[in-house]
């Protein structure tokens, strides 16, 4: 019975997220406002939907518990290893891409101002906009139903599918061609699951 309740919540959450995001993305494509700030609401749909669905199922107390898990101090110690792992994934991707294209591996550092700009963007858009949903809502419930690895596979698949309309809008996931996206999205998702569990759900 408990698992059935979690499955209902997950189904409601995923449907709400896709309806909200794809509705905005589709409207932006149909009515030609892809460059409008309104599109950001579609990007923030995973977190916004998580908040709404939590309120529907659990009310004010549920929201209080939900936001109480957002503890940067508990998760802070896991930032350095996460950043290091992402750097390794990025370098491996650059190397594999260069080998596949038959070109030399070219590495360039664009400066700390660029790094800070990227970090701020990641915090405001996918960080606050998505992670309350994918990890804060969905991962927590999926891991009560299945193993962490299987939960990661589900989230990676849903995340990839959710991003599909952004390719029609010309951006996709970090401007990475769709055919390559799964190659970094899966290890990325597994790393996030590891960090989420290590930080006790922060």
């Amino acid at each position: 019975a408990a698992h059935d309740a979690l499955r209902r919540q997950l189904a409601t959450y995923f449907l709400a997220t896709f309806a909200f995001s794809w509705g905005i993305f589709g409207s932006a494509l149909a009515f030609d406002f892809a460059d409008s700030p309104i599109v950001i609401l579609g990007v923030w749909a995973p977190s916004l939907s998580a908040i709404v669905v939590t309120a529907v199922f659990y009310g004010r107390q549920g929201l209080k518990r939900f936001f109480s898990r957002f503890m940067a101090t508990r998760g802070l110690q896991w930032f350095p290893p996460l950043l290091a792992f992402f750097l390794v994934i990025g370098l491996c991707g650059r190397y594999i891409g260069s080998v596949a294209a038959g070109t030399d591996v070219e590495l360039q550092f664009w400066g700390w101002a660029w790094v800070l700009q990227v970090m701020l963007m990641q915090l405001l858009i996918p960080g606050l906009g998505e992670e309350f949903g994918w990890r804060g809502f969905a991962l927590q419930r999926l891991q009560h139903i299945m193993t962490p690895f299987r939960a990661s596979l589900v989230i990676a698949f849903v995340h990839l599918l959710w991003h599909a309309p952004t390719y029609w809008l010309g951006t996709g996931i970090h401007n990475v061609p769709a055919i390559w996206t799964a190659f970094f999205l899966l290890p990325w998702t597994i790393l996030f699951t590891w960090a989420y569990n290590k930080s006790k759900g922060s």
Side-chain angles (χ1 to χ4, degrees):
H3 284 185
D4 289 340
L6 291 176
R7 289 188 180 95
R8 283 194 297 271
Q9 293 174 29
L10 286 163
T12 302
Y13 167 69
F14 287 136
L15 286 172
T17 300
F18 274 73
F20 188 12
S21 289
W22 284 20
I24 291 178
F25 296 154
S27 298
L29 189 64
F31 299 106
D32 195 26
F33 61 88
D35 296 327
S36 169
I38 295 173
V39 177
I40 293 295
L41 291 176
V43 178
W44 284 343
S47 289
L48 294 174
S49 297
I51 293 168
V52 171
V53 173
T54 298
V56 168
F57 279 97
Y58 296 103
R60 184 176 298 178
Q61 288 301 314
L63 283 175
K64 186 176 179 180
R65 290 193 300 271
F66 180 77
F67 285 113
S68 71
R69 289 170 38 233
F70 181 61
M71 293 172 285
T73 52
R74 180 189 289 177
L76 192 61
Q77 63 181 312
W78 300 105
F79 287 1
L82 272 179
L83 291 173
F85 278 127
F86 285 130
L87 179 61
V88 169
I89 291 173
L91 291 174
C92 288
R94 177 61 61 88
Y95 176 77
I96 293 170
S98 297
V99 170
T103 61
D104 293 332
V105 179
E106 295 183 5
L107 301 178
Q108 181 179 356
F109 179 65
W110 288 291
W112 290 109
W114 177 84
V115 170
L116 292 175
Q117 179 183 346
V118 169
M119 294 294 288
L120 180 61
M121 182 192 72
Q122 292 298 310
L123 171 65
L124 295 178
I125 300 178
L128 297 178
E130 296 183 36
E131 291 310 316
F132 282 94
W134 302 139
R135 257 52 66 167
F137 187 93
L139 181 61
Q140 182 196 37
R141 286 158 177 78
L142 284 168
Q143 289 192 109
H144 285 292
I145 301 172
M146 59 188 68
T147 65
F149 180 71
R150 289 187 61 191
S152 299
L153 291 179
V154 170
I155 290 179
F157 173 76
V158 170
H159 193 177
L160 184 61
L161 182 63
W162 173 75
H163 264 287
T166 65
Y167 284 95
W168 306 331
L169 294 173
T171 55
I173 303 181
H174 306 299
N175 294 306
V176 176
I179 193 169
W180 292 108
T181 301
F183 288 96
F184 82 83
L185 188 58
L186 181 56
W188 178 354
T189 305
I190 291 171
L191 282 175
F192 272 26
T193 298
W194 171 79
Y196 174 89
N197 289 334
K198 284 292 186 180
S199 63
K200 296 179 170 46
S202 171

